[in-house]
Coordinates of all heavy atoms in Angstrom, one line a residue:
M1 N 25.7 -15.4 5.8 CA 25.8 -14.0 5.7 C 25.5 -13.4 7.1 O 24.4 -13.8 7.7 CB 24.8 -13.5 4.6 CG 24.9 -12.0 4.4 SD 23.7 -11.6 3.2 CE 24.8 -10.7 2.1
T2 N 26.3 -12.6 7.6 CA 26.0 -12.0 8.9 C 25.0 -10.8 8.8 O 24.9 -10.1 7.7 CB 27.3 -11.5 9.5 OG1 27.8 -10.5 8.7 CG2 28.3 -12.6 9.7
R3 N 24.3 -10.6 9.8 CA 23.3 -9.6 9.8 C 23.9 -8.2 10.2 O 24.7 -8.2 11.2 CB 22.2 -9.9 10.8 CG 21.1 -9.0 10.9 CD 20.0 -9.5 11.7 NE 18.9 -8.6 11.7 CZ 17.8 -8.8 12.4 NH1 17.6 -9.9 13.1 NH2 16.8 -7.9 12.3
K4 N 23.6 -7.2 9.4 CA 24.1 -5.9 9.7 C 23.3 -5.2 10.7 O 22.0 -5.2 10.6 CB 24.2 -5.0 8.5 CG 24.5 -3.6 8.7 CD 25.7 -3.1 7.9 CE 25.9 -1.6 7.9 NZ 26.4 -1.1 9.2
H5 N 23.9 -4.6 11.7 CA 23.1 -3.9 12.8 C 23.3 -2.4 12.5 O 24.4 -1.9 12.4 CB 23.5 -4.2 14.2 CG 23.2 -5.7 14.5 ND1 22.0 -6.0 15.0 CD2 24.0 -6.8 14.5 CE1 22.0 -7.4 15.2 NE2 23.2 -7.8 14.9
F6 N 22.2 -1.7 12.3 CA 22.3 -0.2 12.1 C 22.2 0.5 13.4 O 21.4 0.2 14.3 CB 21.2 0.2 11.1 CG 21.3 -0.5 9.7 CD1 20.7 -1.6 9.5 CD2 22.1 0.1 8.8 CE1 20.9 -2.2 8.2 CE2 22.3 -0.5 7.5 CZ 21.6 -1.6 7.3
T7 N 22.9 1.6 13.5 CA 22.8 2.4 14.7 C 21.6 3.3 14.6 O 21.0 3.5 13.5 CB 24.1 3.3 14.8 OG1 24.0 4.3 13.7 CG2 25.4 2.6 14.7
P8 N 21.1 3.7 15.8 CA 19.9 4.6 15.7 C 20.1 5.8 14.9 O 19.2 6.4 14.3 CB 19.7 4.9 17.2 CG 20.3 3.8 18.0 CD 21.5 3.3 17.1
G9 N 21.3 6.3 14.8 CA 21.6 7.5 14.0 C 21.5 7.2 12.5 O 21.0 8.0 11.7
E10 N 21.9 6.0 12.1 CA 21.7 5.6 10.7 C 20.3 5.5 10.3 O 19.8 5.9 9.2 CB 22.5 4.3 10.4 CG 24.0 4.4 10.4 CD 24.7 3.0 10.4 OE1 24.1 2.1 10.9 OE2 25.7 3.0 9.7
V11 N 19.5 4.9 11.2 CA 18.1 4.7 11.0 C 17.4 6.1 10.9 O 16.6 6.3 10.0 CB 17.4 3.8 12.1 CG1 15.9 3.8 11.9 CG2 18.0 2.4 12.1
S12 N 17.8 6.9 11.8 CA 17.2 8.3 11.9 C 17.5 9.0 10.6 O 16.7 9.7 10.0 CB 17.7 9.0 13.1 OG 17.2 10.4 13.1
A13 N 18.8 8.9 10.2 CA 19.2 9.7 8.9 C 18.4 9.2 7.7 O 18.0 9.9 6.8 CB 20.7 9.5 8.7
A14 N 18.2 7.9 7.6 CA 17.5 7.3 6.5 C 16.0 7.8 6.5 O 15.5 8.2 5.5 CB 17.6 5.7 6.5
L15 N 15.4 7.8 7.7 CA 14.0 8.2 7.8 C 13.9 9.7 7.5 O 13.0 10.2 6.9 CB 13.5 7.9 9.1 CG 13.3 6.4 9.4 CD1 12.8 6.2 10.8 CD2 12.4 5.7 8.4
Q16 N 14.9 10.5 7.9 CA 14.9 11.9 7.6 C 15.0 12.2 6.1 O 14.5 13.1 5.6 CB 16.0 12.6 8.4 CG 15.7 12.8 9.9 CD 16.8 13.4 10.6 OE1 17.9 13.6 10.2 NE2 16.6 13.6 12.0
A17 N 15.8 11.4 5.5 CA 16.0 11.5 4.0 C 14.7 11.2 3.3 O 14.3 11.9 2.4 CB 17.1 10.6 3.5
L18 N 14.0 10.2 3.8 CA 12.6 9.9 3.2 C 11.7 11.1 3.4 O 10.9 11.5 2.5 CB 12.0 8.7 3.8 CG 12.6 7.4 3.3 CD1 12.0 6.2 4.1 CD2 12.3 7.2 1.8
E19 N 11.6 11.7 4.6 CA 10.8 12.8 4.9 C 11.2 14.0 4.1 O 10.3 14.9 3.8 CB 10.8 13.1 6.4 CG 10.0 12.1 7.2 CD 9.9 12.5 8.6 OE1 10.8 13.2 9.1 OE2 8.9 12.1 9.3
A20 N 12.5 14.2 3.7 CA 12.9 15.3 2.9 C 12.5 15.1 1.4 O 12.7 16.1 0.7 CB 14.4 15.4 3.1
G21 N 12.0 14.0 1.1 CA 11.6 13.8 -0.3 C 12.4 12.9 -1.2 O 12.2 12.8 -2.4
V22 N 13.5 12.3 -0.6 CA 14.3 11.5 -1.4 C 13.6 10.1 -1.6 O 12.9 9.6 -0.8 CB 15.6 11.2 -0.6 CG1 16.6 10.3 -1.4 CG2 16.3 12.4 -0.3
R23 N 13.7 9.7 -2.9 CA 12.9 8.5 -3.2 C 13.5 7.2 -2.5 O 14.6 7.1 -2.2 CB 13.0 8.2 -4.7 CG 12.4 9.4 -5.5 CD 12.5 9.2 -7.0 NE 11.2 9.5 -7.5 CZ 10.3 8.7 -8.2 NH1 10.7 7.5 -8.4 NH2 9.2 9.2 -8.6
V24 N 12.5 6.2 -2.3 CA 12.9 5.0 -1.6 C 14.1 4.3 -2.1 O 15.0 3.9 -1.4 CB 11.7 4.1 -1.4 CG1 12.1 2.8 -0.8 CG2 10.6 4.8 -0.6
P25 N 14.2 4.1 -3.5 CA 15.3 3.3 -4.0 C 16.6 4.1 -3.7 O 17.6 3.4 -3.5 CB 15.0 3.2 -5.5 CG 13.5 3.3 -5.6 CD 13.1 4.2 -4.5
E26 N 16.6 5.4 -3.8 CA 17.8 6.1 -3.6 C 18.3 6.0 -2.1 O 19.4 5.9 -1.8 CB 17.6 7.6 -3.9 CG 18.7 8.6 -3.6 CD 20.0 8.3 -4.4 OE1 19.9 7.7 -5.5 OE2 21.1 8.5 -3.9
V27 N 17.3 6.1 -1.2 CA 17.7 5.9 0.2 C 18.2 4.5 0.5 O 19.2 4.4 1.2 CB 16.4 6.2 1.1 CG1 16.7 5.9 2.6 CG2 16.0 7.6 1.0
C28 N 17.6 3.5 -0.1 CA 18.1 2.2 0.1 C 19.5 2.0 -0.4 O 20.3 1.4 0.2 CB 17.2 1.2 -0.7 SG 15.5 1.0 0.1
H29 N 19.8 2.6 -1.6 CA 21.1 2.5 -2.1 C 22.1 3.3 -1.3 O 23.2 2.8 -1.0 CB 21.1 3.1 -3.6 CG 22.5 3.0 -4.2 ND1 23.1 1.9 -4.6 CD2 23.3 4.0 -4.5 CE1 24.3 2.2 -5.2 NE2 24.5 3.5 -5.1
R30 N 21.7 4.5 -0.9 CA 22.6 5.4 -0.1 C 23.0 4.8 1.3 O 24.1 4.8 1.7 CB 22.0 6.7 0.2 CG 22.9 7.8 0.7 CD 22.1 9.1 0.9 NE 21.6 9.6 -0.3 CZ 20.8 10.7 -0.3 NH1 20.4 11.3 0.8 NH2 20.4 11.1 -1.5
F31 N 22.0 4.1 1.9 CA 22.3 3.5 3.3 C 22.5 2.1 3.3 O 22.6 1.5 4.3 CB 21.1 3.9 4.2 CG 21.1 5.4 4.5 CD1 20.2 6.2 3.8 CD2 21.8 5.9 5.5 CE1 20.2 7.6 4.0 CE2 21.7 7.3 5.8 CZ 20.9 8.1 5.0
N32 N 22.4 1.5 2.0 CA 22.7 0.0 1.9 C 21.8 -0.8 2.7 O 22.1 -1.7 3.5 CB 24.2 -0.3 2.2 CG 24.6 -1.7 1.7 OD1 24.0 -2.2 0.7 ND2 25.6 -2.3 2.3
V33 N 20.4 -0.5 2.5 CA 19.4 -1.3 3.2 C 18.4 -1.8 2.2 O 18.3 -1.2 1.1 CB 18.7 -0.5 4.3 CG1 19.6 -0.1 5.4 CG2 18.0 0.7 3.7
S34 N 17.7 -2.8 2.5 CA 16.6 -3.3 1.6 C 15.4 -2.4 1.7 O 15.2 -1.8 2.8 CB 16.3 -4.7 1.8 OG 15.6 -4.9 3.0
E35 N 14.5 -2.5 0.7 CA 13.2 -1.8 0.9 C 12.4 -2.3 2.0 O 11.6 -1.6 2.6 CB 12.4 -1.8 -0.5 CG 13.1 -1.0 -1.6 CD 12.2 -0.9 -2.8 OE1 11.0 -1.0 -2.7 OE2 12.8 -0.6 -3.9
L36 N 12.5 -3.6 2.2 CA 11.7 -4.2 3.4 C 12.2 -3.7 4.7 O 11.4 -3.4 5.6 CB 11.8 -5.7 3.3 CG 11.2 -6.5 2.1 CD1 11.5 -8.0 2.1 CD2 9.7 -6.2 2.2
T37 N 13.5 -3.5 4.8 CA 14.0 -3.0 6.1 C 13.6 -1.6 6.3 O 13.2 -1.1 7.4 CB 15.6 -3.1 6.1 OG1 15.9 -4.5 6.0 CG2 16.1 -2.5 7.4
L38 N 13.7 -0.9 5.2 CA 13.2 0.6 5.3 C 11.8 0.7 5.6 O 11.4 1.5 6.4 CB 13.6 1.3 3.9 CG 13.5 2.8 3.9 CD1 14.5 3.4 4.9 CD2 13.8 3.3 2.5
G39 N 11.0 -0.2 5.0 CA 9.5 -0.2 5.4 C 9.3 -0.5 6.8 O 8.4 0.0 7.5
R40 N 10.1 -1.5 7.4 CA 9.9 -1.8 8.7 C 10.2 -0.6 9.7 O 9.6 -0.4 10.6 CB 10.9 -3.0 9.1 CG 10.6 -3.6 10.4 CD 11.6 -4.8 10.8 NE 11.7 -5.7 9.6 CZ 13.0 -5.9 9.0 NH1 14.0 -5.3 9.5 NH2 13.1 -6.7 8.0
W41 N 11.3 0.1 9.3 CA 11.7 1.3 10.1 C 10.6 2.3 10.0 O 10.3 2.9 11.0 CB 13.0 1.8 9.6 CG 14.2 1.0 9.8 CD1 14.3 -0.1 10.6 CD2 15.5 1.2 9.2 NE1 15.6 -0.6 10.5 CE2 16.4 0.2 9.7 CE3 16.0 2.1 8.3 CZ2 17.7 0.1 9.3 CZ3 17.3 2.0 7.9 CH2 18.1 1.0 8.4
R42 N 10.1 2.5 8.9 CA 9.0 3.5 8.7 C 7.7 3.1 9.5 O 7.1 3.9 10.2 CB 8.5 3.6 7.2 CG 9.6 4.3 6.4 CD 9.3 4.3 4.9 NE 8.1 5.1 4.7 CZ 7.4 5.0 3.6 NH1 7.7 4.1 2.6 NH2 6.4 5.8 3.4
R43 N 7.4 1.8 9.5 CA 6.3 1.3 10.3 C 6.5 1.5 11.8 O 5.6 2.0 12.5 CB 6.0 -0.2 10.0 CG 4.7 -0.7 10.5 CD 4.4 -2.1 10.1 NE 5.1 -2.6 8.9 CZ 6.1 -3.5 9.0 NH1 6.4 -4.1 10.2 NH2 6.7 -4.0 7.9
K44 N 7.7 1.2 12.3 CA 8.0 1.4 13.7 C 8.0 2.8 14.1 O 7.6 3.2 15.2 CB 9.3 0.7 14.0 CG 9.3 -0.7 14.1 CD 10.7 -1.3 14.5 CE 10.7 -2.8 14.6 NZ 12.0 -3.3 15.0
A45 N 8.4 3.7 13.2 CA 8.5 5.1 13.5 C 7.1 5.8 13.3 O 6.9 6.9 13.6 CB 9.5 5.8 12.6
G46 N 6.1 5.1 12.7 CA 4.8 5.7 12.5 C 4.7 6.6 11.3 O 3.9 7.5 11.3
L47 N 5.6 6.3 10.3 CA 5.6 7.2 9.1 C 4.8 6.7 7.9 O 4.8 7.4 6.9 CB 7.1 7.5 8.7 CG 8.0 8.1 9.7 CD1 9.4 8.2 9.2 CD2 7.4 9.5 10.1
L48 N 4.2 5.6 8.1 CA 3.4 5.1 6.9 C 2.2 5.9 6.8 O 1.5 6.2 7.8 CB 3.1 3.6 7.1 CG 4.3 2.7 6.9 CD1 3.8 1.2 7.1 CD2 4.9 2.8 5.6
K49 N 1.8 6.3 5.6 CA 0.6 7.0 5.4 C -0.6 6.1 5.5 O -0.7 5.1 4.8 CB 0.7 7.8 4.1 CG 1.7 8.8 4.1 CD 1.8 9.6 2.8 CE 2.9 10.6 2.9 NZ 3.2 11.2 1.6
K50 N -1.6 6.5 6.3 CA -2.8 5.7 6.4 C -3.9 6.6 5.8 O -3.9 7.8 5.9 CB -3.1 5.4 7.9 CG -2.0 4.5 8.5 CD -2.3 4.3 9.9 CE -1.1 3.5 10.6 NZ -1.3 3.4 12.0
P51 N -4.9 5.9 5.2 CA -6.1 6.7 4.7 C -6.8 7.3 5.9 O -6.9 6.8 7.0 CB -6.9 5.6 4.0 CG -6.5 4.3 4.5 CD -5.1 4.5 5.0
L52 N -7.3 8.6 5.6 CA -8.0 9.3 6.6 C -9.3 8.6 7.1 O -9.6 8.5 8.2 CB -8.3 10.7 6.1 CG -7.1 11.6 5.8 CD1 -7.6 12.9 5.3 CD2 -6.3 11.8 7.0
E53 N -10.1 8.1 6.1 CA -11.3 7.4 6.4 C -11.2 6.1 5.8 O -10.8 5.9 4.6 CB -12.5 8.2 5.9 CG -12.6 9.5 6.5 CD -13.8 10.3 5.8 OE1 -14.6 9.7 5.1 OE2 -13.9 11.5 6.1
P54 N -11.8 5.0 6.4 CA -11.8 3.7 5.8 C -12.7 3.7 4.7 O -13.8 4.4 4.7 CB -12.3 2.8 6.9 CG -12.9 3.7 7.9 CD -12.3 5.0 7.8
V55 N -12.4 3.0 3.6 CA -13.2 2.9 2.4 C -14.3 1.9 2.7 O -14.0 0.7 2.8 CB -12.4 2.5 1.2 CG1 -13.3 2.4 0.0 CG2 -11.3 3.6 1.0
V56 N -15.6 2.3 2.8 CA -16.7 1.4 3.1 C -17.7 1.5 1.9 O -18.1 2.7 1.6 CB -17.4 1.8 4.4 CG1 -18.6 0.9 4.6 CG2 -16.4 1.7 5.5
P57 N -18.0 0.5 1.2 CA -19.0 0.6 0.1 C -20.3 1.0 0.6 O -20.8 0.6 1.7 CB -19.0 -0.8 -0.5 CG -18.5 -1.7 0.6 CD -17.6 -0.9 1.4
E58 N -21.0 1.8 -0.2 CA -22.3 2.3 0.2 C -23.3 1.1 0.1 O -23.2 0.3 -0.8 CB -22.8 3.4 -0.7 CG -21.9 4.6 -0.5 CD -22.4 5.8 -1.4 OE1 -23.6 5.7 -1.8 OE2 -21.6 6.6 -1.7
P59 N -24.3 1.0 1.1 CA -25.2 -0.1 0.9 C -26.2 0.1 -0.3 O -26.5 1.3 -0.6 CB -26.0 0.0 2.3 CG -25.8 1.4 2.8 CD -24.4 1.8 2.2
L60 N -26.6 -0.9 -0.9 CA -27.4 -0.9 -2.1 C -28.9 -0.6 -1.6 O -29.3 -1.1 -0.5 CB -27.4 -2.2 -2.9 CG -26.0 -2.4 -3.6 CD1 -26.1 -3.8 -4.3 CD2 -25.8 -1.4 -4.6
A61 N -29.6 0.1 -2.4 CA -31.0 0.2 -2.1 C -31.7 -1.2 -2.3 O -31.1 -2.0 -3.0 CB -31.6 1.3 -3.1
V62 N -32.8 -1.3 -1.7 CA -33.5 -2.6 -1.7 C -33.8 -3.0 -3.2 O -33.7 -4.1 -3.6 CB -34.8 -2.5 -0.9 CG1 -35.6 -3.8 -1.0 CG2 -34.5 -2.2 0.5
E63 N -34.2 -2.0 -4.0 CA -34.5 -2.4 -5.4 C -33.3 -2.8 -6.2 O -33.4 -3.7 -6.9 CB -35.2 -1.1 -6.1 CG -36.5 -0.7 -5.5 CD -36.3 0.2 -4.4 OE1 -35.3 0.9 -4.3 OE2 -37.2 0.3 -3.5
Q64 N -32.2 -2.1 -5.9 CA -30.9 -2.5 -6.6 C -30.5 -3.8 -6.2 O -30.0 -4.6 -7.0 CB -29.9 -1.4 -6.3 CG -30.1 -0.1 -7.0 CD -29.1 0.9 -6.5 OE1 -28.5 0.8 -5.4 NE2 -28.9 1.9 -7.4
A65 N -30.6 -4.1 -4.9 CA -30.1 -5.4 -4.4 C -31.0 -6.6 -5.0 O -30.5 -7.6 -5.4 CB -30.2 -5.5 -2.9
A66 N -32.3 -6.3 -5.1 CA -33.2 -7.3 -5.7 C -32.9 -7.5 -7.1 O -32.8 -8.7 -7.7 CB -34.6 -6.9 -5.5
A67 N -32.6 -6.4 -7.9 CA -32.3 -6.6 -9.3 C -31.0 -7.2 -9.5 O -30.7 -8.0 -10.5 CB -32.3 -5.2 -9.9
A68 N -30.1 -7.0 -8.6 CA -28.7 -7.6 -8.8 C -28.8 -9.1 -8.5 O -28.0 -9.8 -9.1 CB -27.7 -6.9 -7.8
S69 N -29.7 -9.6 -7.7 CA -29.8 -11.0 -7.4 C -30.5 -11.8 -8.4 O -30.3 -13.0 -8.5 CB -30.4 -11.2 -6.0 OG -31.8 -10.8 -6.1
R70 N -31.3 -11.1 -9.3 CA -32.0 -11.8 -10.3 C -31.1 -12.1 -11.5 O -30.3 -11.2 -11.9 CB -33.2 -11.0 -10.9 CG -34.4 -11.0 -9.9 CD -35.5 -10.3 -10.5 NE -35.8 -9.1 -9.7 CZ -35.9 -7.9 -10.1 NH1 -36.0 -7.6 -11.4 NH2 -36.1 -6.9 -9.3
P71 N -31.2 -13.2 -12.2 CA -30.4 -13.5 -13.3 C -30.9 -12.6 -14.5 O -32.0 -12.1 -14.5 CB -30.6 -14.9 -13.7 CG -31.8 -15.3 -13.0 CD -32.0 -14.4 -11.8
A72 N -29.9 -12.2 -15.4 CA -30.2 -11.3 -16.5 C -31.2 -12.1 -17.5 O -31.1 -13.3 -17.7 CB -29.0 -11.0 -17.3
A73 N -32.1 -11.3 -18.1 CA -33.0 -11.9 -19.0 C -32.3 -12.2 -20.3 O -31.5 -11.6 -20.8 CB -34.1 -10.9 -19.3
R74 N -32.7 -13.5 -20.8 CA -32.1 -14.0 -22.0 C -33.1 -13.9 -23.1 O -34.3 -14.2 -22.9 CB -31.5 -15.4 -21.8 CG -30.5 -15.5 -20.7 CD -30.1 -16.9 -20.5 NE -28.9 -17.1 -21.2 CZ -28.3 -18.2 -21.4 NH1 -28.9 -19.3 -21.0 NH2 -27.1 -18.3 -22.0
Q75 N -32.6 -13.7 -24.4 CA -33.5 -13.8 -25.5 C -33.6 -15.1 -25.9 O -32.7 -15.9 -25.8 CB -33.0 -12.9 -26.6 CG -33.0 -11.4 -26.4 CD -32.5 -10.7 -27.6 OE1 -32.1 -11.2 -28.5 NE2 -32.6 -9.3 -27.5
P76 N -34.8 -15.5 -26.4 CA -35.0 -16.9 -26.9 C -34.1 -17.1 -28.1 O -33.8 -16.2 -28.8 CB -36.5 -17.0 -27.3 CG -37.1 -15.8 -26.7 CD -36.1 -14.8 -26.4
S77 N -33.6 -18.4 -28.2 CA -32.7 -18.7 -29.3 C -33.4 -18.5 -30.7 O -34.7 -18.8 -30.7 CB -32.2 -20.1 -29.2 OG -33.2 -21.1 -29.2
G78 N -32.7 -18.2 -31.7 CA -33.3 -18.0 -33.0 C -33.8 -16.6 -33.2 O -34.1 -16.3 -34.4
M79 N -33.9 -15.8 -32.2 CA -34.3 -14.4 -32.4 C -33.1 -13.5 -32.4 O -32.2 -13.7 -31.6 CB -35.3 -14.0 -31.3 CG -36.6 -14.7 -31.3 SD -37.7 -14.0 -30.2 CE -38.2 -12.6 -31.2
L80 N -33.1 -12.6 -33.3 CA -31.9 -11.6 -33.4 C -32.3 -10.4 -32.7 O -33.4 -9.8 -32.7 CB -31.6 -11.4 -34.9 CG -31.2 -12.5 -35.7 CD1 -31.0 -12.1 -37.2 CD2 -29.9 -13.1 -35.2
A81 N -31.3 -9.8 -32.0 CA -31.5 -8.5 -31.4 C -31.5 -7.4 -32.4 O -30.7 -7.5 -33.3 CB -30.4 -8.3 -30.3
S82 N -32.4 -6.5 -32.3 CA -32.3 -5.4 -33.2 C -31.8 -4.1 -32.7 O -31.6 -3.9 -31.5 CB -33.7 -5.1 -33.7 OG -34.7 -5.0 -32.7

């Protein structure tokens, strides 16, 4: 299968359709490209949305970290929990 080369105008039109709110599957069908190719074009054009702030978990307090490292208390066998 031969590789299709898209003109810069075709790439630009596809990206403009995405920015206009057309859904990705519709753009892929309309321009006869795969979602991977469309994603590559978006990445190269800088159109992928990135989170504003990186998600960093909050550090645990010393007491919480110590409690998390201890195994849970087990009830002796033969006793029923009430």
Side-chain angles (χ1 to χ4, degrees):
M1 181 181 235
T2 61
R3 185 174 180 179
K4 170 124 170 77
H5 294 280
F6 295 94
T7 65
E10 290 173 322
V11 174
S12 175
L15 294 176
Q16 286 175 355
L18 283 175
E19 286 184 333
V22 181
R23 300 179 134 243
V24 171
E26 174 64 28
V27 173
C28 291
H29 179 72
R30 189 181 299 173
F31 292 94
N32 196 24
V33 297
S34 70
E35 288 188 24
L36 292 174
T37 299
L38 195 58
R40 188 178 323 116
W41 292 349
R42 290 173 67 198
R43 193 174 340 108
K44 283 183 179 181
L47 297 177
L48 290 180
K49 295 180 181 174
K50 297 177 185 174
L52 298 177
E53 296 179 12
V55 179
V56 179
E58 295 180 20
L60 293 175
V62 175
E63 298 85 26
Q64 289 176 333
S69 65
R70 281 185 250 134
R74 302 177 97 189
Q75 290 185 352
S77 60
M79 296 191 74
L80 297 175
S82 49

